Amino acid sequence: MAETPADKNKKLTQSELSNLQNLQFGPDWTSERKATDHAPRSGERKRSSGRPPAKGGPRQDRRPPRSKDREAPRREMRPKPFRPALEIQVHPTEKVFQALAKAMRETYQTYELFELAHLVLSKPERHEFFLKPFPDSDYGLFLAVPDETPFLSEDAAIEHVMAKHLDKFFTTEEIELEAPKGNFQFVSRCPWTKNLIGPPNYHLYPQLLRDHHATHLPGMDFERFRQKLETVRDEESVQSWVESMKKGMKYSLREELHARLGADSAKEFTSLDEVRQCLTQNLGDLVFRKVRSHRIPGNKLDDITEEPIKKSIEFALSRQERFPMDIANVFRAKFRRQQFHVYKKGSKGVSFVCAVRRKLRQPNQIFSETIQSLIRFLEENPEIHASQLPEKYLGQNTPETEEEKKALSANPAFKTMLIDLRWLLAEGYVVEYSDGRLHLPPVQEPPPPKKPKSPSSSEKEATPSPTTANTVPEEKNEEAADPESSSPEGTGPIPDSPEPPPSKDSPPEQPPEK
């Protein structure tokens, strides 16, 4: 008997149910996962990219083979922005400023503020540095009293005095000492001075390190100095150090300082540690002092030994050389105190300074014949150089020899031109810039005529003009109706104006009730 479709569906349903009974949803901890085969099954289509096959076979990789030694380029880290240790400002020296002010008063020339700033920055003796600690900084500002050198700590100032100015406090004398005893296999050597310091197992080795650092390298960090020491294991070098330790120094306090401390105080010392203790405890006011601010001349920058301060000054100086806004602001304040005229010109607002205030000619102003002729020439030749006036205005050749210059100076027309030009510069009618250009400001335009005052609203209603009789009346301004709002300050209330006549549409007034 043939199998019907219903019997087939019944068998299929029973097989599916048996498979579902054996199905487990938990994790399989014991069985190993078999590698999946990605080969296409029978009856499935291979997906194509839609492109025709390349001619001559598959496409070859044309990129060059990558070398094994070649490493992937590392991403460069941006350096951290420099943070100065102190607040540094660059100022012109008072001597240079007074010289500039005197020259500008004598020549009546006009200078750009940035031009003066670059002029000051061009030479170190023309500017100075103003040092001040930041309000939230951990650093202080200490000065070594003998030479006014700035430091960030009192220890650094003391080390500087001991290295550079110890002779102002003590007299030194070489004495004989007993040679050190012990088993020394090697000695430490300074990589900068090449001096032998001593073996680390010597009991005075820490003191020798501090003495060498204070004497030869006071501006360097002590930990960096200690880490850079070299080790020498040569027997000859060890014996050389032992022989050098047979000689020492004796430090004697000067008489005037010993008299200040008293006769009972110690006068002679045999180590730099004792000298340092004497300076800090007894003579501290002569060694260092703490200040809030300090000025350093520009030509003393190389004398600064503390690296953070020196780098901070160099950073501030480089910023001013790129854009000298701070020096320009200092110049602006100083010139205004000297009654100079500081103004801005142009769309970019460039600041200029001059000893005289500019003036504009009036429309009907009358000058002398020679001055009017010079003004007319400057109008026809704008921005001409002053050195070209003898040739283009007077028709004289440019003098080349001393005799020609003397002959031109004796010319009456040349003398008159110089007098007229100087008068125009002194009065402010003509501006001469630092490069010699002459600028003639335009004639002042007359002020616009004042508009006549319009009659009050009450007068308009009382006497209407024929031109406005047929026009629509304008709306009244609410502010104008309030007499208190339209009165100026301090003039009091406006007196009451007469009431306008009642209109036809207004209702008649009612008599007061009894």
Side-chain angles (χ1 to χ4, degrees):
M1 184 176 180
E3 190 175 16
T4 61
D7 297 335
K8 290 182 180 181
N9 293 336
K10 186 177 181 180
K11 290 182 179 180
L12 182 60
T13 305
Q14 292 177 356
S15 62
E16 290 177 355
L17 290 175
S18 62
N19 292 334
L20 289 175
Q21 291 176 359
N22 298 328
L23 185 63
Q24 297 180 3
F25 291 94
D28 190 2
W29 304 105
T30 58
S31 62
E32 296 181 357
R33 183 176 296 179
K34 298 180 180 180
T36 57
D37 187 8
H38 295 283
R41 300 177 183 177
S42 60
E44 290 185 358
R45 282 187 175 182
K46 294 183 179 180
R47 295 182 180 180
S48 60
S49 59
R51 297 181 180 178
K55 296 180 179 180
R59 180 178 294 177
Q60 298 179 356
D61 190 2
R62 298 180 181 179
R63 292 177 296 180
R66 186 170 182 176
S67 175
K68 296 181 180 180
D69 300 335
R70 181 181 175 186
E71 297 181 357
R74 296 181 179 179
R75 186 176 181 181
E76 297 182 358
M77 300 297 293
R78 293 183 178 180
K80 295 182 179 180
F82 177 76
R83 178 177 173 80
L86 298 172
E87 182 180 354
I88 310 295
Q89 296 179 2
V90 188
H91 293 180
T93 62
E94 189 64 23
K95 182 178 179 181
V96 170
F97 173 75
Q98 294 298 336
L100 285 174
K102 182 180 179 181
M104 294 173 66
R105 285 193 180 97
E106 293 176 354
T107 60
Y108 301 113
Q109 285 186 333
T110 301
Y111 285 82
E112 186 182 346
L113 284 182
F114 274 30
E115 180 184 1
L116 295 177
H118 286 295
L119 186 66
V120 167
L121 292 172
S122 61
K123 292 186 178 181
E125 58 270 13
R126 294 177 180 174
H127 57 263
E128 60 185 5
F129 306 107
F130 183 76
L131 283 63
K132 185 174 64 174
F134 289 106
D136 56 345
S137 176
D138 297 334
Y139 296 112
L141 185 57
F142 299 86
L143 299 182
V145 174
D147 56 1
E148 299 291 327
T149 304
F151 294 92
L152 298 177
S153 63
E154 61 181 43
D155 293 337
I158 294 172
E159 297 295 339
H160 173 77
V161 172
M162 293 183 62
K164 302 293 183 180
H165 307 283
L166 192 60
D167 56 342
K168 297 181 180 179
F169 300 90
F170 297 90
T171 58
T172 57
E173 180 184 357
E174 188 174 350
I175 58 176
E176 294 290 336
L177 298 175
E178 184 179 357
K181 298 178 181 180
N183 184 16
F184 307 120
Q185 301 295 331
F186 58 90
V187 292
S188 299
R189 182 175 62 185
C190 177
W192 292 276
T193 61
K194 302 300 180 182
N195 293 344
L196 298 175
I197 299 176
N201 58 342
Y202 183 51
H203 68 284
L204 294 179
Y205 179 74
Q207 178 180 339
L208 295 177
L209 278 181
R210 290 193 297 269
D211 293 348
H212 184 84
H213 176 264
T215 306
H216 300 282
L217 303 169
M220 183 181 296
D221 184 57
F222 182 77
E223 289 299 326
R224 179 171 178 265
F225 160 73
R226 188 175 60 84
Q227 294 175 0
K228 294 293 183 179
L229 292 177
E230 300 174 353
T231 301
V232 181
R233 299 182 180 274
D234 186 8
E235 182 67 23
E236 183 179 354
S237 299
V238 175
Q239 293 299 326
S240 176
W241 171 78
V242 172
E243 292 295 329
S244 65
M245 292 299 294
K246 293 181 179 180
K247 297 180 180 180
M249 300 297 296
K250 183 177 69 172
Y251 304 92
S252 300
L253 193 64
R254 293 189 174 274
E255 294 295 336
E256 59 274 12
L257 298 177
H258 185 256
R260 176 185 175 182
L261 299 180
D264 298 337
S265 61
K267 184 179 180 181
E268 296 180 354
F269 307 93
T270 57
S271 66
L272 289 178
D273 282 347
E274 297 176 355
V275 170
R276 185 184 296 104
Q277 185 177 2
C278 177
L279 291 177
T280 54
Q281 295 181 358
N282 303 324
L283 303 173
D285 58 331
L286 301 179
V287 178
F288 69 92
R289 72 173 185 270
K290 187 176 182 180
V291 295
R292 296 182 178 179
S293 60
H294 182 60
R295 292 181 182 270
I296 300 177
N299 53 4
K300 298 293 184 180
L301 179 59
D302 296 335
D303 298 341
I304 299 177
T305 58
E306 186 132 14
E307 285 297 325
I309 297 180
K310 191 172 184 179
K311 289 182 179 180
S312 301
I313 294 177
E314 292 174 350
F315 176 74
L317 185 61
S318 62
R319 289 186 60 186
Q320 292 304 308
E321 289 174 350
R322 292 193 302 268
F323 190 72
M325 177 58 73
D326 294 344
I327 302 183
N329 290 334
V330 172
F331 267 125
R332 180 183 287 107
K334 285 180 172 289
F335 279 123
R336 283 177 175 171
R337 285 195 292 268
Q338 296 286 337
Q339 304 301 322
F340 276 69
H341 180 47
V342 183
Y343 63 94
K344 292 184 178 181
K345 179 183 177 183
S347 59
K348 296 183 178 180
V350 181
S351 298
F352 291 86
V353 59
C354 185
V356 296
R357 185 175 292 273
R358 296 179 301 169
K359 288 183 182 179
L360 297 178
R361 292 166 291 148
Q362 302 299 324
N364 299 326
Q365 191 170 1
I366 300 175
F367 298 95
S368 65
E369 183 178 354
T370 56
I371 293 178
Q372 189 64 38
S373 175
L374 182 58
I375 291 175
R376 193 179 305 111
F377 176 80
L378 294 178
E379 289 177 341
E380 297 173 356
N381 300 270
E383 307 296 329
I384 189 174
H385 283 255
S387 59
Q388 299 176 347
L389 289 179
E391 179 181 358
K392 295 186 177 181
Y393 177 65
L394 299 178
Q396 301 288 337
N397 296 327
T398 304
E400 297 179 357
T401 62
E402 293 295 333
E403 295 180 357
E404 293 179 353
K405 291 180 181 180
K406 292 181 180 179
L408 181 63
S409 301
N411 190 347
F414 180 74
K415 291 182 178 180
T416 304
M417 183 201 70
L418 290 182
I419 294 174
D420 295 341
L421 179 61
R422 185 168 180 82
W423 184 83
L424 290 174
L425 293 174
E427 292 296 323
Y429 293 113
V430 176
V431 178
E432 182 182 4
Y433 294 105
S434 59
D435 57 356
R437 291 181 294 112
L438 298 176
H439 173 70
L440 181 67
V443 180
Q444 185 177 6
E445 297 180 358
K450 295 183 179 180
K451 296 181 180 181
K453 293 183 179 180
S454 59
S456 61
S457 58
S458 59
E459 294 177 357
K460 286 183 179 180
E461 294 179 0
T463 56
S465 60
T467 57
T468 60
N470 299 327
T471 60
V472 179
E474 297 180 357
E475 297 181 359
K476 296 181 180 180
N477 188 4
E478 295 180 359
E479 295 182 359
D482 186 6
E484 295 291 337
S485 62
S486 60
S487 61
E489 296 181 0
T491 56
I494 297 178
D496 297 336
S497 57
E499 296 181 359
S503 60
K504 297 180 180 180
D505 299 335
S506 59
E509 295 182 359
Q510 299 293 333
E513 297 181 359
K514 295 182 180 180

